[in-house]
Amino acid sequence: MKTQKPPVISVRKRPLQARSTQLVADILEAAVRVLASDGARHFTTARVAEKAGVSVGSLYQYFPNKEAILFRLQADEWQETRELLERILADSTRPQFERLRGAVQAFFLTEWQESEFRVALDDATPLYRDTPEAHENWKACTRCVLVFMNEALPQAPVEDRAFAADMVMTVMSAVGERISEQARSESEVKAMAVAIGEMFCAYLEGIKYRR
Amino acid sequence: MKTQKPPVISVRKRPLQARSTQLVADILEAAVRVLASDGARHFTTARVAEKAGVSVGSLYQYFPNKEAILFRLQADEWQETRELLERILADSTRPQFERLRGAVQAFFLTEWQESEFRVALDDATPLYRDTPEAHENWKACTRCVLVFMNEALPQAPVEDRAFAADMVMTVMSAVGERISEQARSESEVKAMAVAIGEMFCAYLEGIKYRR
Amino acid sequence: MKTQKPPVISVRKRPLQARSTQLVADILEAAVRVLASDGARHFTTARVAEKAGVSVGSLYQYFPNKEAILFRLQADEWQETRELLERILADSTRPQFERLRGAVQAFFLTEWQESEFRVALDDATPLYRDTPEAHENWKACTRCVLVFMNEALPQAPVEDRAFAADMVMTVMSAVGERISEQARSESEVKAMAVAIGEMFCAYLEGIKYRR
Amino acid sequence: MKTQKPPVISVRKRPLQARSTQLVADILEAAVRVLASDGARHFTTARVAEKAGVSVGSLYQYFPNKEAILFRLQADEWQETRELLERILADSTRPQFERLRGAVQAFFLTEWQESEFRVALDDATPLYRDTPEAHENWKACTRCVLVFMNEALPQAPVEDRAFAADMVMTVMSAVGERISEQARSESEVKAMAVAIGEMFCAYLEGIKYRR
DNA sequence: GATGAATGAGCATTCATTCAT
DNA sequence: GATGAATGAATGCTCATTCAT
């Protein structure tokens, strides 16, 4: 909202793929901009509509309420996160643990790049927390990690793998969020990613042969 | 993402040490109650004043604005966290790594016990983030951990120790926050604490003799 | 003030006589349903159009504005009331006063049966009151009653007959409306009808031979 | 709202007796004016506040919501009606039936005098209908009439007296409301009152000795 | 110092109506 | 003719903060 460091973010070019209408795309785009520039506190439907060059009425034609916009934004984030995790964790051309380290790195980096927006979105969490869809999104990501665990720790008990997936997701997303809140330098973020990647690997190594 | 709810937040008996006046103490006490029971969204000066048995006017005599109350609450939390870390990490009667594991456990447990209040306080973050005092508090905690690192990793390069302290604080507080948001069961929280404690130790072991 | 609720409003099968187009009929039908189920407050052109399976645009092709729909509904009510009164009051096979009593009974009963819809329509009165057509409809009903008075009180002064007709219509419709608002039981409504019928007859008896 | 005839009403000097604060009085006063001049449709808290020379905030300090203002106005009306009925119906210096006739006359007259305001208030009924207090008010008035019935029809069965009281109140208030809706002349209103008074008396005469 | 009444900008949401396609 | 997307004024209500008493 103030201070905070803002390196890459800009207009968040995010694909906005085949959105049914340009209007929805415009609204989401505007929402991102409002969030990043005005902060969660001043994220109002009026501002979004105005920045989108749309009337409030139109906005409400596509989103049942303010929260829905935020949730959609968040859902898109999770979607991207899931894709990122999938892409990296399932890449069988790389050694398993390297993939995990890479995933953490990549995740932290995107968090850091979009920090302004991410922070604002996190600030808005109270507005959409605990929706069933939110749980779904979280679980989808966790499932991704679980698939990786199944491959990486084939001999570990199934509960251990589930726990590891949950723990990795929790730590990664919590720290990622924290990192976008603090105005850190890129190298700091990288170092943090490396450290956390190492910790994950050490942890997995430890349970690899547990039974 | 969720499992159970912690047992009630018990009005947070916190000592409220030698506050300059009883009035301030009452206000903070009331603020905690309002936050825990009504949530960040309904945290209004009027409610706090009423619950404290004070007039709004008086409230504004001691706090320049609403944010100030929240910040003070947050500062108290950091203060307690610092004390907790100090108490545990400096306890020379226990092996070093066990202390670290214990600190994580203890920290997560208090987060979990007070989750209602902590979540609400976190939700209010946008209202007081980035004050210089907040930075101060964070640094004080980190210093604590750094003292521990100096003792535990006497041979490691000074930057490694600093980084380790920062990383531990970041991960611990970020995950602690996340845990209170997710309404997990006590045993889940414990398991998470154990895992993270182990990861920290593994990490420190890894840099212990680095030069 | 209340007792029971009438049994459901049965979608008001009303003939919808030779309406110029089926479309208008559909709209009115839908309007009745919306009014009965959603109440005057939620009676919106959008809902009516949707329930009618028509676009808003089409709706506006046939009705200049929302009030027009309501007025048309109201006009239909008056039309039915007029028919009912005519049918009963002009039925020369029954004794005159019995006809009057019967008319009150029948009128109250239909009010009561359709109370959900009638109440909503009354609630919407502010939206269409005082149109000249409304006056016309009222007068048509009163004329009906006047015809009856002319037959029943042939010797009474013409002004007395006019006044009696006006009074009977006023009391009957006012009390009928009130009854549908109060959600009374069928037997209460019947008793009220009997009493009011008796009062009318007593009154007419009193002016029968006045000059 | 438009048309309608506006004879006496004006600013409704209504006592506004020992209202705890002038502010509440001002708001109610303004509410009456807004209602009479703008109609129920345009009765908004903003307008009332403005006309009262008060901020919306203050208005909401004294009334929890818009409906509460209307309800208060209505309650005052009922209160006055009750007083009027009590005053007249319990006046043992006059013959019983004359009292009843007088009550109807007086009631209709006040309705007629305040018709602009009464109509608007009735239009607002949907906003406060069916509150328990509203029932209370109705019952208080009915009790008044019942007391009269007990005195006037000591030999009639108790249920007959109860029914008579209910019927009289229903008819009187329903017709009174209708009368204020229609823009009638004073003499018409008077004639209507006379006729209805006569009908009531005839009815009571009829059940006086029933058993 | 203490009080709490007063302020009024700010916000989410609805809905009658229009008009380009 | 039919459609339904777009409009934007209007509304009820909240709440941080001030200031006269």
Side-chain angles (χ1 to χ4, degrees), chain D residues 167-196:
Chain D
M167 190 272 283
V168 161
M169 264 306 290
T170 300
V171 171
M172 200 171 71
S173 73
V175 176
E177 184 183 320
R178 179 62 55 97
I179 269 170
S180 58
E181 268 171 34
Q182 300 163 336
R184 291 178 178 272
S185 70
E186 185 169 5
S187 61
E188 281 180 309
V189 169
K190 231 171 198 163
M192 194 71 80
V194 168
I196 288 172

PDB file of all heavy atoms in Angstrom, chain D residues 167-196:
ATOM      1  N   MET D 167     -64.484  -7.229  14.998  1.00  0.00           N
ATOM      2  CA  MET D 167     -65.116  -6.796  13.753  1.00  0.00           C
ATOM      3  C   MET D 167     -65.162  -5.279  13.663  1.00  0.00           C
ATOM      4  O   MET D 167     -64.826  -4.684  12.625  1.00  0.00           O
ATOM      5  CB  MET D 167     -66.523  -7.400  13.683  1.00  0.00           C
ATOM      6  CG  MET D 167     -67.211  -7.225  12.351  1.00  0.00           C
ATOM      7  SD  MET D 167     -68.117  -5.661  12.308  1.00  0.00           S
ATOM      8  CE  MET D 167     -69.566  -6.097  13.290  1.00  0.00           C
ATOM      9  N   VAL D 168     -65.567  -4.660  14.730  1.00  0.00           N
ATOM     10  CA  VAL D 168     -65.668  -3.199  14.731  1.00  0.00           C
ATOM     11  C   VAL D 168     -64.301  -2.565  14.453  1.00  0.00           C
ATOM     12  O   VAL D 168     -64.162  -1.668  13.613  1.00  0.00           O
ATOM     13  CB  VAL D 168     -66.252  -2.693  16.065  1.00  0.00           C
ATOM     14  CG1 VAL D 168     -65.930  -1.209  16.270  1.00  0.00           C
ATOM     15  CG2 VAL D 168     -67.751  -2.924  16.099  1.00  0.00           C
ATOM     16  N   MET D 169     -63.291  -3.062  15.130  1.00  0.00           N
ATOM     17  CA  MET D 169     -61.946  -2.518  14.895  1.00  0.00           C
ATOM     18  C   MET D 169     -61.517  -2.745  13.444  1.00  0.00           C
ATOM     19  O   MET D 169     -60.952  -1.849  12.798  1.00  0.00           O
ATOM     20  CB  MET D 169     -60.925  -3.204  15.816  1.00  0.00           C
ATOM     21  CG  MET D 169     -60.624  -2.461  17.096  1.00  0.00           C
ATOM     22  SD  MET D 169     -60.121  -0.736  16.801  1.00  0.00           S
ATOM     23  CE  MET D 169     -58.507  -0.966  16.042  1.00  0.00           C
ATOM     24  N   THR D 170     -61.746  -3.939  12.973  1.00  0.00           N
ATOM     25  CA  THR D 170     -61.326  -4.263  11.607  1.00  0.00           C
ATOM     26  C   THR D 170     -62.016  -3.351  10.597  1.00  0.00           C
ATOM     27  O   THR D 170     -61.365  -2.732   9.747  1.00  0.00           O
ATOM     28  CB  THR D 170     -61.654  -5.736  11.291  1.00  0.00           C
ATOM     29  OG1 THR D 170     -60.960  -6.564  12.209  1.00  0.00           O
ATOM     30  CG2 THR D 170     -61.238  -6.089   9.870  1.00  0.00           C
ATOM     31  N   VAL D 171     -63.315  -3.283  10.714  1.00  0.00           N
ATOM     32  CA  VAL D 171     -64.056  -2.469   9.755  1.00  0.00           C
ATOM     33  C   VAL D 171     -63.656  -0.996   9.886  1.00  0.00           C
ATOM     34  O   VAL D 171     -63.366  -0.328   8.888  1.00  0.00           O
ATOM     35  CB  VAL D 171     -65.572  -2.623   9.963  1.00  0.00           C
ATOM     36  CG1 VAL D 171     -66.335  -1.612   9.100  1.00  0.00           C
ATOM     37  CG2 VAL D 171     -66.003  -4.052   9.634  1.00  0.00           C
ATOM     38  N   MET D 172     -63.622  -0.542  11.101  1.00  0.00           N
ATOM     39  CA  MET D 172     -63.343   0.871  11.297  1.00  0.00           C
ATOM     40  C   MET D 172     -61.961   1.241  10.751  1.00  0.00           C
ATOM     41  O   MET D 172     -61.806   2.231  10.022  1.00  0.00           O
ATOM     42  CB  MET D 172     -63.431   1.215  12.777  1.00  0.00           C
ATOM     43  CG  MET D 172     -63.628   2.686  13.020  1.00  0.00           C
ATOM     44  SD  MET D 172     -63.996   3.003  14.754  1.00  0.00           S
ATOM     45  CE  MET D 172     -62.407   2.678  15.492  1.00  0.00           C
ATOM     46  N   SER D 173     -60.963   0.437  11.097  1.00  0.00           N
ATOM     47  CA  SER D 173     -59.628   0.826  10.655  1.00  0.00           C
ATOM     48  C   SER D 173     -59.448   0.615   9.161  1.00  0.00           C
ATOM     49  O   SER D 173     -58.814   1.424   8.480  1.00  0.00           O
ATOM     50  CB  SER D 173     -58.554   0.087  11.461  1.00  0.00           C
ATOM     51  OG  SER D 173     -58.492  -1.253  11.091  1.00  0.00           O
ATOM     52  N   ALA D 174     -60.049  -0.442   8.647  1.00  0.00           N
ATOM     53  CA  ALA D 174     -59.912  -0.691   7.210  1.00  0.00           C
ATOM     54  C   ALA D 174     -60.585   0.426   6.417  1.00  0.00           C
ATOM     55  O   ALA D 174     -60.007   0.971   5.475  1.00  0.00           O
ATOM     56  CB  ALA D 174     -60.516  -2.046   6.847  1.00  0.00           C
ATOM     57  N   VAL D 175     -61.785   0.759   6.814  1.00  0.00           N
ATOM     58  CA  VAL D 175     -62.499   1.797   6.076  1.00  0.00           C
ATOM     59  C   VAL D 175     -61.828   3.160   6.312  1.00  0.00           C
ATOM     60  O   VAL D 175     -61.741   3.978   5.394  1.00  0.00           O
ATOM     61  CB  VAL D 175     -63.986   1.823   6.467  1.00  0.00           C
ATOM     62  CG1 VAL D 175     -64.703   2.968   5.760  1.00  0.00           C
ATOM     63  CG2 VAL D 175     -64.643   0.492   6.128  1.00  0.00           C
ATOM     64  N   GLY D 176     -61.385   3.364   7.514  1.00  0.00           N
ATOM     65  CA  GLY D 176     -60.687   4.623   7.791  1.00  0.00           C
ATOM     66  C   GLY D 176     -59.489   4.780   6.865  1.00  0.00           C
ATOM     67  O   GLY D 176     -59.250   5.853   6.289  1.00  0.00           O
ATOM     68  N   GLU D 177     -58.740   3.713   6.723  1.00  0.00           N
ATOM     69  CA  GLU D 177     -57.589   3.750   5.836  1.00  0.00           C
ATOM     70  C   GLU D 177     -58.021   4.052   4.408  1.00  0.00           C
ATOM     71  O   GLU D 177     -57.451   4.914   3.729  1.00  0.00           O
ATOM     72  CB  GLU D 177     -56.887   2.389   5.891  1.00  0.00           C
ATOM     73  CG  GLU D 177     -55.623   2.327   5.091  1.00  0.00           C
ATOM     74  CD  GLU D 177     -54.999   0.921   5.120  1.00  0.00           C
ATOM     75  OE1 GLU D 177     -55.016   0.278   6.195  1.00  0.00           O
ATOM     76  OE2 GLU D 177     -54.524   0.471   4.066  1.00  0.00           O
ATOM     77  N   ARG D 178     -59.040   3.352   3.982  1.00  0.00           N
ATOM     78  CA  ARG D 178     -59.519   3.544   2.619  1.00  0.00           C
ATOM     79  C   ARG D 178     -59.969   4.980   2.391  1.00  0.00           C
ATOM     80  O   ARG D 178     -59.737   5.584   1.340  1.00  0.00           O
ATOM     81  CB  ARG D 178     -60.675   2.569   2.359  1.00  0.00           C
ATOM     82  CG  ARG D 178     -61.307   2.658   0.994  1.00  0.00           C
ATOM     83  CD  ARG D 178     -60.324   2.335  -0.119  1.00  0.00           C
ATOM     84  NE  ARG D 178     -59.667   1.058   0.022  1.00  0.00           N
ATOM     85  CZ  ARG D 178     -60.059  -0.060  -0.584  1.00  0.00           C
ATOM     86  NH1 ARG D 178     -61.115  -0.030  -1.373  1.00  0.00           N
ATOM     87  NH2 ARG D 178     -59.390  -1.185  -0.402  1.00  0.00           N
ATOM     88  N   ILE D 179     -60.600   5.522   3.402  1.00  0.00           N
ATOM     89  CA  ILE D 179     -61.104   6.885   3.282  1.00  0.00           C
ATOM     90  C   ILE D 179     -59.970   7.893   3.110  1.00  0.00           C
ATOM     91  O   ILE D 179     -60.074   8.868   2.361  1.00  0.00           O
ATOM     92  CB  ILE D 179     -61.960   7.237   4.521  1.00  0.00           C
ATOM     93  CG1 ILE D 179     -63.412   6.869   4.217  1.00  0.00           C
ATOM     94  CG2 ILE D 179     -61.866   8.709   4.859  1.00  0.00           C
ATOM     95  CD1 ILE D 179     -64.287   6.942   5.435  1.00  0.00           C
ATOM     96  N   SER D 180     -58.856   7.624   3.815  1.00  0.00           N
ATOM     97  CA  SER D 180     -57.771   8.589   3.652  1.00  0.00           C
ATOM     98  C   SER D 180     -57.096   8.425   2.284  1.00  0.00           C
ATOM     99  O   SER D 180     -56.475   9.347   1.779  1.00  0.00           O
ATOM    100  CB  SER D 180     -56.759   8.476   4.802  1.00  0.00           C
ATOM    101  OG  SER D 180     -56.223   7.191   4.900  1.00  0.00           O
ATOM    102  N   GLU D 181     -57.276   7.245   1.707  1.00  0.00           N
ATOM    103  CA  GLU D 181     -56.705   7.029   0.379  1.00  0.00           C
ATOM    104  C   GLU D 181     -57.486   7.753  -0.709  1.00  0.00           C
ATOM    105  O   GLU D 181     -56.929   8.249  -1.675  1.00  0.00           O
ATOM    106  CB  GLU D 181     -56.725   5.548   0.035  1.00  0.00           C
ATOM    107  CG  GLU D 181     -55.472   4.805   0.412  1.00  0.00           C
ATOM    108  CD  GLU D 181     -55.688   3.312   0.225  1.00  0.00           C
ATOM    109  OE1 GLU D 181     -56.413   2.907  -0.694  1.00  0.00           O
ATOM    110  OE2 GLU D 181     -55.148   2.562   1.047  1.00  0.00           O
ATOM    111  N   GLN D 182     -58.802   7.682  -0.544  1.00  0.00           N
ATOM    112  CA  GLN D 182     -59.640   8.334  -1.552  1.00  0.00           C
ATOM    113  C   GLN D 182     -59.753   9.800  -1.170  1.00  0.00           C
ATOM    114  O   GLN D 182     -59.879  10.123  -0.013  1.00  0.00           O
ATOM    115  CB  GLN D 182     -61.028   7.687  -1.561  1.00  0.00           C
ATOM    116  CG  GLN D 182     -61.004   6.208  -1.874  1.00  0.00           C
ATOM    117  CD  GLN D 182     -62.306   5.543  -1.481  1.00  0.00           C
ATOM    118  OE1 GLN D 182     -63.032   6.038  -0.610  1.00  0.00           O
ATOM    119  NE2 GLN D 182     -62.580   4.421  -2.118  1.00  0.00           N
ATOM    120  N   ALA D 183     -59.715  10.642  -2.162  1.00  0.00           N
ATOM    121  CA  ALA D 183     -59.777  12.067  -1.825  1.00  0.00           C
ATOM    122  C   ALA D 183     -61.232  12.512  -1.697  1.00  0.00           C
ATOM    123  O   ALA D 183     -61.803  13.104  -2.605  1.00  0.00           O
ATOM    124  CB  ALA D 183     -59.064  12.863  -2.907  1.00  0.00           C
ATOM    125  N   ARG D 184     -61.810  12.212  -0.565  1.00  0.00           N
ATOM    126  CA  ARG D 184     -63.229  12.537  -0.398  1.00  0.00           C
ATOM    127  C   ARG D 184     -63.409  13.891   0.301  1.00  0.00           C
ATOM    128  O   ARG D 184     -62.495  14.391   0.937  1.00  0.00           O
ATOM    129  CB  ARG D 184     -63.920  11.459   0.433  1.00  0.00           C
ATOM    130  CG  ARG D 184     -64.026  10.118  -0.298  1.00  0.00           C
ATOM    131  CD  ARG D 184     -64.674   9.087   0.600  1.00  0.00           C
ATOM    132  NE  ARG D 184     -64.830   7.795  -0.070  1.00  0.00           N
ATOM    133  CZ  ARG D 184     -65.887   7.469  -0.808  1.00  0.00           C
ATOM    134  NH1 ARG D 184     -66.883   8.330  -0.993  1.00  0.00           N
ATOM    135  NH2 ARG D 184     -65.958   6.265  -1.354  1.00  0.00           N
ATOM    136  N   SER D 185     -64.606  14.393   0.181  1.00  0.00           N
ATOM    137  CA  SER D 185     -64.901  15.663   0.862  1.00  0.00           C
ATOM    138  C   SER D 185     -65.244  15.377   2.317  1.00  0.00           C
ATOM    139  O   SER D 185     -65.594  14.259   2.684  1.00  0.00           O
ATOM    140  CB  SER D 185     -66.089  16.346   0.196  1.00  0.00           C
ATOM    141  OG  SER D 185     -67.261  15.605   0.482  1.00  0.00           O
ATOM    142  N   GLU D 186     -65.169  16.392   3.122  1.00  0.00           N
ATOM    143  CA  GLU D 186     -65.458  16.208   4.528  1.00  0.00           C
ATOM    144  C   GLU D 186     -66.873  15.678   4.733  1.00  0.00           C
ATOM    145  O   GLU D 186     -67.103  14.799   5.569  1.00  0.00           O
ATOM    146  CB  GLU D 186     -65.285  17.536   5.285  1.00  0.00           C
ATOM    147  CG  GLU D 186     -65.458  17.369   6.785  1.00  0.00           C
ATOM    148  CD  GLU D 186     -65.037  18.611   7.570  1.00  0.00           C
ATOM    149  OE1 GLU D 186     -64.707  19.638   6.931  1.00  0.00           O
ATOM    150  OE2 GLU D 186     -65.015  18.541   8.801  1.00  0.00           O
ATOM    151  N   SER D 187     -67.808  16.178   3.965  1.00  0.00           N
ATOM    152  CA  SER D 187     -69.192  15.741   4.177  1.00  0.00           C
ATOM    153  C   SER D 187     -69.373  14.277   3.779  1.00  0.00           C
ATOM    154  O   SER D 187     -70.090  13.532   4.436  1.00  0.00           O
ATOM    155  CB  SER D 187     -70.159  16.638   3.404  1.00  0.00           C
ATOM    156  OG  SER D 187     -69.864  16.558   2.018  1.00  0.00           O
ATOM    157  N   GLU D 188     -68.675  13.865   2.749  1.00  0.00           N
ATOM    158  CA  GLU D 188     -68.749  12.457   2.372  1.00  0.00           C
ATOM    159  C   GLU D 188     -68.231  11.580   3.505  1.00  0.00           C
ATOM    160  O   GLU D 188     -68.818  10.552   3.846  1.00  0.00           O
ATOM    161  CB  GLU D 188     -67.901  12.197   1.120  1.00  0.00           C
ATOM    162  CG  GLU D 188     -68.548  12.609  -0.185  1.00  0.00           C
ATOM    163  CD  GLU D 188     -67.641  12.316  -1.370  1.00  0.00           C
ATOM    164  OE1 GLU D 188     -66.446  12.727  -1.326  1.00  0.00           O
ATOM    165  OE2 GLU D 188     -68.075  11.671  -2.322  1.00  0.00           O
ATOM    166  N   VAL D 189     -67.103  12.010   4.044  1.00  0.00           N
ATOM    167  CA  VAL D 189     -66.512  11.242   5.136  1.00  0.00           C
ATOM    168  C   VAL D 189     -67.473  11.157   6.309  1.00  0.00           C
ATOM    169  O   VAL D 189     -67.674  10.098   6.913  1.00  0.00           O
ATOM    170  CB  VAL D 189     -65.176  11.880   5.580  1.00  0.00           C
ATOM    171  CG1 VAL D 189     -64.680  11.268   6.871  1.00  0.00           C
ATOM    172  CG2 VAL D 189     -64.148  11.725   4.474  1.00  0.00           C
ATOM    173  N   LYS D 190     -68.085  12.276   6.585  1.00  0.00           N
ATOM    174  CA  LYS D 190     -69.029  12.310   7.701  1.00  0.00           C
ATOM    175  C   LYS D 190     -70.185  11.358   7.451  1.00  0.00           C
ATOM    176  O   LYS D 190     -70.569  10.579   8.329  1.00  0.00           O
ATOM    177  CB  LYS D 190     -69.558  13.732   7.871  1.00  0.00           C
ATOM    178  CG  LYS D 190     -69.431  14.225   9.301  1.00  0.00           C
ATOM    179  CD  LYS D 190     -69.743  15.696   9.408  1.00  0.00           C
ATOM    180  CE  LYS D 190     -69.199  16.249  10.718  1.00  0.00           C
ATOM    181  NZ  LYS D 190     -69.125  17.704  10.682  1.00  0.00           N
ATOM    182  N   ALA D 191     -70.709  11.421   6.260  1.00  0.00           N
ATOM    183  CA  ALA D 191     -71.844  10.552   5.928  1.00  0.00           C
ATOM    184  C   ALA D 191     -71.452   9.088   6.072  1.00  0.00           C
ATOM    185  O   ALA D 191     -72.208   8.260   6.609  1.00  0.00           O
ATOM    186  CB  ALA D 191     -72.306  10.841   4.497  1.00  0.00           C
ATOM    187  N   MET D 192     -70.265   8.786   5.604  1.00  0.00           N
ATOM    188  CA  MET D 192     -69.770   7.419   5.709  1.00  0.00           C
ATOM    189  C   MET D 192     -69.682   7.011   7.183  1.00  0.00           C
ATOM    190  O   MET D 192     -70.070   5.899   7.563  1.00  0.00           O
ATOM    191  CB  MET D 192     -68.394   7.322   5.050  1.00  0.00           C
ATOM    192  CG  MET D 192     -67.910   5.932   4.795  1.00  0.00           C
ATOM    193  SD  MET D 192     -68.811   5.094   3.473  1.00  0.00           S
ATOM    194  CE  MET D 192     -68.021   5.780   2.033  1.00  0.00           C
ATOM    195  N   ALA D 193     -69.181   7.912   7.978  1.00  0.00           N
ATOM    196  CA  ALA D 193     -69.057   7.621   9.404  1.00  0.00           C
ATOM    197  C   ALA D 193     -70.427   7.363  10.019  1.00  0.00           C
ATOM    198  O   ALA D 193     -70.612   6.419  10.805  1.00  0.00           O
ATOM    199  CB  ALA D 193     -68.367   8.780  10.112  1.00  0.00           C
ATOM    200  N   VAL D 194     -71.377   8.192   9.646  1.00  0.00           N
ATOM    201  CA  VAL D 194     -72.718   8.021  10.189  1.00  0.00           C
ATOM    202  C   VAL D 194     -73.271   6.647   9.808  1.00  0.00           C
ATOM    203  O   VAL D 194     -73.763   5.894  10.651  1.00  0.00           O
ATOM    204  CB  VAL D 194     -73.652   9.133   9.671  1.00  0.00           C
ATOM    205  CG1 VAL D 194     -75.114   8.797  10.000  1.00  0.00           C
ATOM    206  CG2 VAL D 194     -73.254  10.464  10.284  1.00  0.00           C
ATOM    207  N   ALA D 195     -73.140   6.332   8.533  1.00  0.00           N
ATOM    208  CA  ALA D 195     -73.677   5.058   8.058  1.00  0.00           C
ATOM    209  C   ALA D 195     -73.027   3.893   8.779  1.00  0.00           C
ATOM    210  O   ALA D 195     -73.701   2.955   9.238  1.00  0.00           O
ATOM    211  CB  ALA D 195     -73.455   4.931   6.552  1.00  0.00           C
ATOM    212  N   ILE D 196     -71.721   3.954   8.897  1.00  0.00           N
ATOM    213  CA  ILE D 196     -71.034   2.830   9.529  1.00  0.00           C
ATOM    214  C   ILE D 196     -71.351   2.756  11.015  1.00  0.00           C
ATOM    215  O   ILE D 196     -71.527   1.672  11.575  1.00  0.00           O
ATOM    216  CB  ILE D 196     -69.514   2.902   9.245  1.00  0.00           C
ATOM    217  CG1 ILE D 196     -69.320   2.536   7.772  1.00  0.00           C
ATOM    218  CG2 ILE D 196     -68.724   1.972  10.136  1.00  0.00           C
ATOM    219  CD1 ILE D 196     -67.942   2.716   7.249  1.00  0.00           C
TER     220      ILE D 196
END
